[in-house]
Amino acid sequence: MFNLILFGPPGSGKGTQAEKLIGKYGLVHLSTGNLLREEIAHKTPLGLEAKKFMDKGQLVPDEVVIGMIDNSLVHHKNAAGFLFDGFPRTAAQAKALDKLLELKKTSITSVLALEVNDEEVIKRILNRGKTSGRSDDTNEEVIRKRLAIYKNETAPVSDHYKKTKKFQSVKGEGTIDEIFSLLCEAIDHRMK
Ligand code: B4P
């Protein structure tokens, strides 16, 4: 199995690149952001609870997102591999993911981190906010809060993967196709 984590700050292009990568490599796309937004759209109790955190730019509690990933892994029993987008975002999530994959007798193959500067991601997210209908995309203060949480809680998760030499940074600035080529190069190299 080829299991890829797409890592990077909010608005770095994880979702954008994930859509292209799953088509090329036949991976199952697991985006915790998308799963949470589906719960919100269906007004489930989980969605209504998660929305309170997301609207403030905060992370949704670990047990909620870990539970969603657990369900998704069970649901996609015969997958050739997974692309994790926006997960793990905390050390506890990274440890839980290792355990869940171990139960499936597999592990993370590669972690690719999109590097984009703060002002560029703020510009991208505010731009998406004009059409996305996402309340966490329209307020610059909330976006800066998401970035601060990324730096304090999520960026340190990279150390977990650096120890096993699975971590690689990729330039996330440029056109969508240029960044896609860099990601494909890194994946093809890992697959050899
Ligand atoms: P996510 O859904 O993961 O959202 P994101 O970080 O904003 O998106 P992403 O990096 O995928 O950006 P995209 O490609 O869309 O999280 C939202 C919230 O959910 C979190 O704040 C948190 O509250 C909660 N959550 C999710 N997962 C969680 C977890 N594991 N634990 C706890 N809470 C969790 O790109 C952004 C924009 O840039 C788009 O408009 C795109 O068109 C544009 N763009 C992309 N590439 C570009 C390029 N090369 N040039 C110019 N623009 C580009």
Side-chain angles (χ1 to χ4, degrees), residues 56-57 122 126 138-147:
K56 286 187 253 172
I122 290 167
L126 284 173
T138 42
N139 180 327
E140 187 167 334
E141 213 176 299
V142 169
I143 299 168
R144 288 200 184 270
K145 166 116 193 162
R146 286 162 65 190
L147 269 173

Side-chain angles (χ1 to χ4, degrees), residues 8-17 31-34 36-37 53-54 57-62 65 85-89 93 120 124-125 127-128 134 136-137 146 172-176 179:
S12 56
K14 302 183 295 287
T16 305
Q17 296 296 334
S31 156
T32 37
N34 288 351
L36 289 166
R37 283 185 287 277
F53 293 92
M54 292 167 79
Q58 292 170 349
L59 292 180
V60 173
D62 284 337
V65 279
D85 161 8
F87 181 91
R89 262 175 155 101
Q93 292 179 20
E120 171 71 14
R124 287 184 189 178
I125 295 175
N127 199 32
R128 178 173 66 188
R134 280 176 57 172
D136 59 342
D137 279 353
R146 286 162 65 190
E173 291 170 18
T175 68
I176 289 170
I179 299 159

